[in-house]
Amino acid sequence: MSQSLARALQILARLGEGERSLDQLATELGVHKTTVLRLLRTMEADRFVRRDESHRYRLGSRLFALADAAREQHVVRAVAAPHLRQLNQKTGQTVHLAAWENGEVIYVDKLDSVRSVRMYSQVGVPAALHCTAVGKVLLAAQPKRQREALLASIDYHAYTPQTITDPDVLRDELDGVRTQGWAQDRAEHESFINCIGAPVTDHDGRVVGAVSVSVPDVLLNYEQVLELLPDLLAATRAISTDYN
């Protein structure tokens, strides 16, 4: 661990105990004030810490979102685990669980196909918003203003000839996702993979995760993958029920 990162984490830990002044933090960490100030300014710019009128530092609002994301991912993954296993065993195909974190969709669990075919996706790695089923599910669930900002900022990289590269086209598809309650990735991210995804919700109906089933076209074509939709929706309903 780098020295700067270690010190930044020490600062967050100290502020977790209560507010501190610059002098207090420098004394407690045993380093010069200029070093602490440089770290504080960086963290303040990213809202990890905040400074009040009396120049005392406290934990910042960015940590609220991180704490919520960590809690939701931990809870969703634990609650979803038995249902993901059942879906994986019933379909025999690759199953993913993803969650929203700071403007990205992150894979938080993956069960590989019982076949020998393996996908490139990895737990902890972001999923493309514009061309994966879980990405579309979670993007569609964002508040309208945030969704529009994301549509304007996405890098519409064409992974395959089927990838959506037009924000207006994606916007229309997201409207369909919200209406029908599930999303598709028809060879949009990987040319030989078809995928369907559906949301997991909490007791308020808020989307807290997305589950997908992904199948290489050498095993099932797109129409055959759609036949797995009832199994997927049953799994997400069961997870949502247990989550609540």
Side-chain angles (χ1 to χ4, degrees), residues 20-104:
R20 297 286 199 280
S21 68
L22 173 60
D23 287 338
Q24 286 176 308
L25 287 169
T27 299
E28 292 177 13
L29 269 63
V31 296
H32 197 275
K33 286 194 296 185
T34 56
T35 299
V36 178
L37 182 60
R38 184 176 66 251
L39 294 171
L40 286 168
R41 284 175 173 168
T42 299
M43 290 190 288
E44 186 178 11
D46 287 327
R47 296 183 291 108
F48 286 106
V49 303
R50 63 185 177 89
R51 182 181 50 173
D52 61 23
E53 296 83 0
S54 60
H55 300 286
R56 297 183 68 81
Y57 290 87
R58 307 167 186 264
L59 294 177
S61 60
R62 181 75 177 275
L63 293 172
F64 296 156
L66 290 176
D68 286 343
R71 178 186 60 80
E72 286 182 357
Q73 288 181 19
H74 176 75
V75 173
V76 171
R77 184 175 183 179
V79 171
H83 301 290
L84 297 181
R85 286 195 298 270
Q86 184 176 11
L87 181 62
N88 173 250
Q89 292 166 2
K90 187 171 185 179
T91 64
Q93 308 302 334
T94 300
V95 172
H96 292 101
L97 174 67
W100 189 262
E101 181 178 335
N102 295 326
E104 290 186 315

Side-chain angles (χ1 to χ4, degrees), residues 88-119:
N88 173 250
Q89 292 166 2
K90 187 171 185 179
T91 64
Q93 308 302 334
T94 300
V95 172
H96 292 101
L97 174 67
W100 189 262
E101 181 178 335
N102 295 326
E104 290 186 315
V105 172
I106 305 296
Y107 290 115
V108 295
D109 206 353
K110 176 185 179 183
L111 284 74
D112 283 313
S113 167
V114 298
R115 275 77 173 185
S116 58
V117 180
R118 293 291 181 266
M119 294 183 61

Side-chain angles (χ1 to χ4, degrees), residues 104-170:
E104 290 186 315
V105 172
I106 305 296
Y107 290 115
V108 295
D109 206 353
K110 176 185 179 183
L111 284 74
D112 283 313
S113 167
V114 298
R115 275 77 173 185
S116 58
V117 180
R118 293 291 181 266
M119 294 183 61
Y120 299 126
S121 53
Q122 293 180 303
V123 172
V125 173
L129 292 177
H130 65 299
C131 59
T132 62
V134 292
K136 293 175 186 177
V137 167
L138 291 168
L139 179 56
Q142 300 309 304
K144 184 176 181 180
R145 181 177 296 181
Q146 184 175 354
R147 188 169 64 247
E148 287 299 318
L150 288 163
L151 285 170
S153 65
I154 288 174
D155 174 13
Y156 289 89
H157 176 72
Y159 292 91
T160 78
Q162 307 304 318
T163 303
I164 295 174
T165 57
D166 185 322
D168 291 330
V169 174
L170 181 57

